[in-house]
Amino acid sequence: MLGIINGEVYDPQNGINGEIRDIWIKDGKIVSADEVERAEAEIIDATGLVVMPGGVDIHSHIVGAKVNAGRKFRPEDHRDHVRTRTTLTRSGSGYTVPTTYMTGYMYAEMGYTTVMEAATAPLVARHTHEELEDTPILDKGVFITMGNNHFIMDCIRKGEREKARDYVAWLLGASKGYAIKIVNPGGVENWKWGRNVEEVDDEVIGFGVTPRQIVSTLAWINDELKLPHVPHIHAINLGQVGNARTTVEMMEALEGRRAHFCHLQFLSYGGKPGKRLRSGAAEVARAVNEHPNITVDVGQVIFGPATTMTSDGPLQYRLHQLTGDKWLNDDVEGETGGGVVPMQYKRKNPFNAVQWLIGLELFLLIDDPWRVYLTTDHPNAGPFFRYPQVIKLLMDRDYRAEVCEGLHPRAKKGALLPELDREYSLYEIAIITRAGTARALGLKNKGHLGVGADADVTIYAKLDDKEEMFARPHYVLKGGEVVVRDGQLVRELPGRTLYVAPPYDPGIERDLRAHFEECYTISFDNYPVAPEYLPHGEVVPCS
Amino acid sequence: MIVGNVVCPFCGCLCDDIVVTVEDNRITAVEKACTSGRSLFLNVHTQTAKPTVDGKEVEWAEAVDVAARILTDAANPLIYGLSSTASEAQRKAIALADLLGATIDSTSSVCHGPTTIGIQVEGEPTCTLGEIKHRADLLVFWGCNPAESHQRHFARYSVLAKGKLTPGGRRDRTMVVVDVRPTLSTRRADVFLQVRPGHDFELLNALRALLKGQDLDVDQVGGVEVARLQDLVERMKSCRFGVIFFGMGVTQTGGKHLNVAELVALVAELNAYTRFTAMPMRGHGNVAGADCTLTWQTGYPFAVNFARGYPQYNPGEFTAVDVLARGETDAALIIASDPVAHFPRRAAQRLAQIPTIVLDPEMSLTAQVARVVLPTAFYGVNAAGTAYRMDNVPLPLKKVVDSSQPTDEQVLDWIIEKVKTCSA
């Protein structure tokens, strides 16, 4: 039993905005005051401190085949960034692509307790779950890439939506995934022919379907299965000048169905294709404001080193040609693809500077904080442990102006950002980093401090410098256990892996056996990830 | 009892369609496996074996106690092997190395270690084997001989496999082999380029030059006529989907990682014309898994040292052959491999001089010189676990017959607990 008393509490889900409250914890959950024997409870005196639910990251690449490939081929990323073993914790290395244990510790030290791995090909989901088990403290889930899946595209062509629905339900259960992920729908399949898609109605080679059909079918399936999250969409033309238009078209293609658009910064580029990059933030933010069915995360650029890694094979090849840096590509049979390319974002590079501006403009132009979330698409636009800097940029317009000063002059010319005076409040920060993300993910026990919530709590010193404040919380509690005390990691616990297991017509398995015989190099029986791989697994109900 | 869809743990192909017949806890028949796989399943013994210390049989508790003491007393312990055990055990081995401040290395360092270094220089355009089965119309095998080393590779994944875009199997593909001598694989090839030993880099470099449209002012490169190289470049540019499978003929010949970097650069450049990929022919059943587990726990796939309390990576400094041959290692834990049979003499001799601990289902040569021998269950036959195929696709290894031996994972767990109490 534990009590956090006299803290300044920010709990937007329950409408609490900086009021002084006591929080009581028992058996890993938030409880009401009368359920606790005060004499027996450990008391944390939070007088003068800020209390929030533990952070919930809706989109980050922390484990699995792509991340590990990035670690493996970037020793230069790790050499100067190491973590020493202690009697409590494991050692590790890595800056933009840290090792699994180090990732768990660093997120916890930043006050985050739940993180969603943004993309895994189902064929290699077993690998992802092995790494998740080696990622301590955090509760986690995995999004399963389906936007270029042969079985689904075949069903769409034949008009067999119900069969596709049963397949998706089976696939989520078999891969122990949490949500449907769509990456460059159709474009990754076309990349296997050296091509891509450019318009929402372009054709996928060999399947006769379009990005629009893939997205709208999966959005329908998501609603049918009542999944806790919505389809998580990485739209077409990512990173291309002028993609704001197709991003908005993709939002319209949903025809009102719910969806999440990830790392929107990379998809809000104005200007004409082949010409100089201009901000398309105003156009895309307007579309988000007009579509209440849409949530987004930003993917804010952080100046410095990054590692780009996506399932978007053609994009990664383009980045390789652009930078000339080493290129890793991995096409996955019948399902998806992917690539990894190192990156360096520079203030004095006009393209990078505009990318940075676009991210912040989106944050400031999207009206409803419940529908826009803080991410850096770690490690694509920058590493996750720089979130506190983004918080400072959002809360402090003087700091924004100061960073803007150092940008390439061509990027500053005509930029919208200097005109935007909005500053985020602590309440709004609590929304874009935990309350909003937990709500979008359908995690009813996360992101708030009401009775019955998981006792994941972060306690910060109230400092003027918001970067400093959010970088090193005083206390972090995970499931009611103190894991960070006085800024130090004091305990290593295993985290849970959250997944869904929606019901499906078992008749689908007969079709799938035939599909596996024809399309895969492994047998149907060896494909599903057995529950033994998730010793800390927990099913999140669909409803 | 007949067990289907068994994964064969022998080589990097990890064929997962093996059918095994079990009678009275003995394997009596094996279907679909190659000769190596068959022999593996039929020869795994199931009788109880006790651990030994200095050649004498002891109880498990005592053997673990001695092993833990050897490792904690050592200044520079080495943990080596890993490629024929499950990833569950590999993860424990790395945890133990972290705890001890040891050096840890896998058999990668004497096979595809240079591949890793080449990838760290140039990248890795690759794919899963199913993409090759369904799409590839040009297959180049360079410095490898799968007809003998990966016997079902041609049938399941490459030359003979019938895929979506290659319904005619062999008829729909062109097979090129580059090697220093004729082999069983070259006999199956449409084109065989016999390169002079040690000249792979020149050949790769010449192909890159020809791809860029440069004229070569020589008639031949590395023993191969330029006209034949030009022909290969044209085939590469005009195919639908191409792949270069490469083996130790590329990685362990003169130039080593530079050969791999050059090969990767060629493959990357070919993507301006068509889709082209590269894939190392990984040997042992779970050597790819050793790369994976080491990487997610330390950041590096082999040659890792924890002496400073954090992982450091330096092939040549922290590779097993080197730390042994230089006499730096003062105790060794060998897991599921046989370095005494394969290492250069000086490195092998060192293993006989120092207290060596062996975890292995078999009485290997290394086990014969070891102080402590811990006979464990055979993953994929009498223990379940996970292995990673040569294309990094993870597969579940089955327990087909029972064994009274503990697994590598269990024994490593016991040693870790003991080391913790020793050091506390």
Side-chain angles (χ1 to χ4, degrees):
Chain A
M1 276 180 289
L2 204 145
I4 301 165
I5 59 165
N6 290 327
E8 187 179 314
V9 177
Y10 292 85
D11 179 9
Q13 175 70 24
N14 295 304
I16 298 169
N17 182 7
E19 292 154 40
I20 307 299
R21 293 280 176 110
D22 298 339
I23 308 284
W24 298 98
I25 294 166
K26 190 176 164 184
D27 301 328
K29 297 279 183 190
I30 309 285
V31 295
S32 60
D34 49 16
E35 283 185 60
V36 175
E37 297 286 340
R38 295 203 181 199
E40 288 169 29
E42 179 191 346
I43 300 295
I44 293 175
D45 182 359
T47 308
L49 303 178
V50 168
V51 179
M52 291 190 186
V56 178
D57 196 337
I58 198 167
H59 186 109
S60 183
H61 300 268
I62 55 168
V63 288
K66 262 195 314 291
V67 177
N68 215 34
R71 293 185 189 112
K72 178 174 164 178
F73 97 143
R74 293 211 68 190
E76 74 280 9
D77 175 85
H78 322 330
R79 202 176 179 84
D80 296 331
H81 301 279
V82 295
R83 188 175 179 110
T84 306
R85 167 177 47 90
T86 70
T87 49
L88 292 171
T89 57
R90 293 284 302 274
S91 69
S93 77
Y95 186 78
T96 65
V97 274
T99 50
T100 54
Y101 285 90
M102 194 158 149
T103 300
Y105 305 147
M106 287 169 77
Y107 258 114
E109 285 168 341
M110 192 176 68
Y112 272 66
T113 47
T114 304
V115 179
M116 289 288 156
E117 162 53 47
T120 282
L123 180 64
V124 293
R126 186 173 281 115
H127 173 172
T128 309
H129 286 291
E130 284 211 289
E131 285 199 35
L132 283 179
E133 194 47 34
D134 280 353
T135 307
I137 304 173
L138 306 174
D139 286 345
K140 298 139 295 199
V142 190
F143 302 163
I144 304 298
T145 46
M146 302 190 195
N148 294 274
N149 182 293
H150 285 194
F151 193 87
I152 294 171
M153 290 193 292
D154 271 335
C155 287
I156 295 173
R157 184 186 54 219
K158 295 179 193 155
E160 299 174 334
R161 284 204 307 185
E162 289 74 14
K163 194 197 260 187
R165 176 196 61 203
D166 286 328
Y167 170 74
V168 168
W170 172 83
L171 189 62
L172 284 166
S175 57
K176 302 287 181 284
Y178 188 76
I180 295 171
K181 177 74 183 291
I182 303 170
V183 177
N184 186 4
V188 182
E189 175 60 28
N190 281 4
W191 169 238
K192 294 173 181 179
W193 298 86
R195 308 273 290 279
N196 199 348
V197 293
E198 288 167 9
E199 301 290 337
V200 292
D201 292 316
D202 275 359
E203 198 174 291
V204 186
I205 301 167
F207 288 90
V209 301
T210 63
R212 179 195 301 277
Q213 289 173 305
I214 295 169
V215 166
S216 62
T217 305
L218 286 167
W220 174 79
I221 289 172
N222 204 100
D223 285 348
E224 283 276 299
L225 297 177
K226 300 184 169 62
L227 298 178
H229 189 29
V230 294
H232 198 101
I233 301 173
H234 157 149
I236 61 173
N237 291 324
L238 186 141
Q240 311 264 15
V241 172
N243 63 17
R245 175 181 61 82
T246 49
T247 301
V248 173
E249 286 173 11
M250 194 66 100
M251 290 178 183
E252 285 160 357
L254 286 158
E255 293 173 337
R257 290 198 185 280
R258 296 181 312 143
H260 178 85
F261 280 66
C262 54
H263 37 72
L264 200 63
Q265 172 272 128
F266 286 120
L267 290 146
S268 302
Y269 294 173
K272 293 204 171 62
K275 302 281 185 201
R276 119 175 206 225
L277 172 64
R278 290 170 193 279
S279 171
E283 183 187 351
V284 174
R286 193 182 322 120
V288 174
N289 287 337
E290 286 167 2
H291 288 84
N293 53 317
I294 303 290
T295 57
V296 306
D297 68 86
V298 169
Q300 174 63 36
V301 160
I302 305 287
F303 293 120
T307 303
T308 66
M309 54 173 68
T310 70
S311 308
D312 195 338
L315 161 74
Q316 297 296 148
Y317 178 65
R318 230 186 92 245
L319 287 172
H320 157 64
Q321 292 202 301
L322 197 73
T323 64
D325 211 331
K326 52 192 174 186
W327 170 51
L328 194 142
N329 178 80
D330 192 7
D331 298 335
V332 179
E333 58 204 66
E335 294 184 347
T336 182
V340 189
V341 176
M343 185 60 70
Q344 188 69 242
Y345 294 102
K346 297 175 182 154
R347 284 178 183 76
K348 294 295 182 194
N349 173 318
F351 196 98
N352 296 160
V354 175
Q355 290 179 302
W356 181 87
L357 289 165
I358 291 170
L360 292 173
E361 288 166 2
L362 287 169
F363 273 119
L364 300 171
L365 290 169
I366 294 172
D367 299 330
D368 182 1
W370 286 97
R371 295 201 288 120
V372 57
Y373 314 124
L374 171 54
T375 66
T376 58
D377 187 17
H378 165 82
N380 281 288
F384 66 81
F385 49 86
R386 302 301 306 276
Y387 289 178
Q389 191 203 9
V390 183
I391 292 173
K392 182 172 175 178
L393 287 164
L394 295 176
M395 295 189 73
D396 184 342
R397 71 177 167 233
D398 293 339
Y399 177 59
R400 249 175 4 232
E402 194 184 305
V403 179
C404 259
E405 272 305 298
L407 300 182
H408 190 284
R410 211 192 310 153
K412 280 189 286 189
K413 206 172 139 197
L416 199 55
L417 188 74
E419 316 295 316
L420 302 174
D421 288 338
R422 182 174 167 195
E423 288 181 331
Y424 270 65
S425 65
L426 279 174
Y427 188 74
E428 287 174 313
I429 293 295
I431 295 170
I432 67 168
T433 56
R434 47 265 283 168
T437 44
R439 187 188 282 182
L441 288 165
L443 291 169
K444 297 196 171 83
N445 300 328
K446 303 278 186 199
H448 72 100
L449 298 171
V451 168
D454 292 345
D456 301 345
V457 189
T458 305
I459 307 174
Y460 304 96
K462 197 171 185 184
L463 305 176
D464 287 338
D465 186 324
K466 295 298 183 277
E467 183 173 4
E468 211 182 313
M469 169 173 169
F470 282 93
R472 283 263 154 210
H474 273 210
Y475 290 89
V476 180
L477 281 72
K478 171 70 196 345
E481 304 282 343
V482 177
V483 289
V484 171
R485 189 187 290 276
D486 301 326
Q488 298 296 316
L489 196 71
V490 292
R491 180 118 197 244
E492 179 184 317
L493 311 161
R496 287 177 293 177
T497 298
L498 310 171
Y499 66 102
V500 294
Y504 58 88
D505 172 7
I508 187 89
E509 292 192 2
R510 202 180 47 241
D511 288 338
L512 285 174
R513 276 185 192 278
H515 173 67
F516 268 75
E517 281 292 312
E518 199 187 322
C519 296
Y520 279 96
T521 52
I522 79 172
S523 73
F524 176 73
D525 291 321
N526 285 325
Y527 188 85
V529 178
E532 292 79 62
Y533 283 93
L534 291 81
H536 303 94
E538 188 178 306
V539 176
V540 174
C542 299
S543 59
Chain B
M1 183 181 61
I2 290 173
V3 192
N5 295 317
V6 175
V7 179
C8 170
F10 182 76
C11 82
C13 283
L14 291 184
C15 303
D16 79 331
D17 59 345
I18 313 298
V19 181
V20 174
T21 309
V22 179
E23 292 168 36
D24 294 335
N25 203 39
R26 274 184 54 240
I27 296 173
T28 52
V30 180
E31 287 165 62
K32 294 196 176 171
C34 67
T35 51
S36 305
R38 259 178 68 80
S39 141
L40 181 150
F41 280 104
L42 291 173
N43 290 315
V44 166
H45 54 77
T46 47
Q47 64 268 42
T48 306
K50 279 199 141 191
T52 61
V53 173
D54 297 322
K56 288 195 204 73
E57 286 193 358
V58 296
E59 294 305 317
W60 275 98
E62 188 185 340
V64 166
D65 199 51
V66 175
R69 218 163 282 279
I70 289 171
L71 292 169
T72 24
D73 288 347
N76 292 305
L78 166 71
I79 299 179
Y80 175 78
L82 306 176
S83 55
S84 292
T85 190
S87 65
E88 288 80 358
Q90 292 165 350
R91 288 151 69 189
K92 296 287 180 194
I94 306 159
L96 177 60
D98 195 358
L99 183 65
L100 292 166
T103 298
I104 185 163
D105 191 23
S106 85
T107 61
S108 271
S109 71
V110 290
C111 60
H112 276 286
T115 298
T116 293
I117 304 172
I119 286 168
Q120 288 169 342
V121 175
E122 277 292 339
E124 186 181 22
T126 191
C127 61
T128 66
L129 286 164
E131 288 296 315
I132 289 154
K133 173 181 173 177
H134 290 296
R135 293 176 195 271
D137 53 349
L138 178 63
L139 307 162
V140 181
F141 294 89
W142 197 310
C144 56
N145 177 15
E148 290 181 271
S149 62
H150 297 74
Q151 293 170 46
R152 297 183 71 212
H153 191 278
F154 291 168
R156 272 176 68 80
Y157 308 123
S158 57
V159 181
L160 307 171
K162 291 180 179 169
K164 276 188 175 172
L165 303 175
T166 52
R170 183 69 183 86
R171 275 188 290 120
D172 292 344
R173 308 186 200 261
T174 303
M175 176 186 179
V176 178
V177 179
V178 185
D179 210 337
V180 293
R181 60 173 170 264
T183 65
L184 279 186
S185 297
T186 64
R187 275 196 230 161
R188 315 274 285 271
D190 299 301
V191 178
F192 169 39
L193 303 181
Q194 188 163 356
V195 57
R196 266 210 311 273
H199 287 256
D200 300 76
F201 183 89
E202 283 96 318
L203 215 59
L204 288 159
N205 191 256
L207 289 170
R208 286 184 72 193
L210 292 171
L211 183 66
K212 286 183 198 301
Q214 291 168 1
D215 287 328
L216 302 183
D217 54 2
V218 289
D219 298 331
Q220 50 169 286
V221 176
V224 183
E225 287 165 32
V226 169
R228 300 192 72 198
L229 292 179
Q230 187 66 53
D231 171 66
L232 178 56
V233 166
E234 294 310 321
R235 287 175 192 274
M236 286 172 152
K237 280 160 71 176
S238 60
C239 72
R240 175 182 57 221
F241 194 99
V243 57
I244 303 180
F245 288 107
F246 61 101
M248 279 188 270
V250 173
T251 69
Q252 295 294 341
T253 189
K256 289 197 157 186
H257 69 277
L258 297 174
N259 301 338
V260 178
E262 196 67 6
L263 189 150
V264 168
L266 170 67
V267 167
E269 285 160 5
L270 280 164
N271 279 277
Y273 299 89
T274 184
R275 286 308 313 284
F276 226 98
T277 60
M279 193 183 295
M281 295 291 292
R282 304 310 303 267
H284 290 290
N286 197 24
V287 68
D291 283 21
C292 287
T293 50
L294 267 162
T295 300
W296 84 59
Q297 290 203 1
T298 75
Y300 310 111
F302 73 113
V304 177
N305 173 278
F306 286 103
R308 289 190 179 169
Y310 54 82
Q312 286 184 285
Y313 164 68
N314 201 5
E317 186 178 7
F318 302 130
T319 24
V321 168
D322 302 273
V323 288
L324 286 167
R326 285 196 301 264
E328 292 166 9
T329 302
D330 56 354
L333 171 62
I334 309 298
I335 303 165
S337 79
D338 194 4
V340 168
H342 300 106
F343 274 9
R345 202 180 61 188
R346 250 192 315 149
Q349 270 172 345
R350 183 72 185 169
L351 284 169
Q353 288 159 1
I354 59 175
T356 293
I357 305 152
V358 168
L359 259 78
D360 207 308
E362 306 289 334
M363 195 61 193
S364 63
L365 266 184
T366 311
Q368 287 172 36
V369 307
R371 229 192 118 200
V372 182
V373 179
L374 305 167
T376 47
F378 204 119
Y379 278 107
V381 184
N382 39 39
T386 308
Y388 287 67
R389 202 166 68 175
M390 62 164 72
D391 56 356
N392 291 329
V393 171
L395 281 153
L397 303 177
K398 280 196 172 80
K399 176 180 179 173
V400 187
V401 288
D402 292 328
S403 156
S404 48
Q405 302 308 114
T407 62
D408 290 343
E409 185 190 6
Q410 284 170 317
V411 175
L412 286 164
D413 244 342
W414 296 339
I415 296 176
I416 288 170
E417 284 317 306
K418 206 74 205 172
V419 167
K420 280 183 178 164
T421 49
C422 284
S423 21

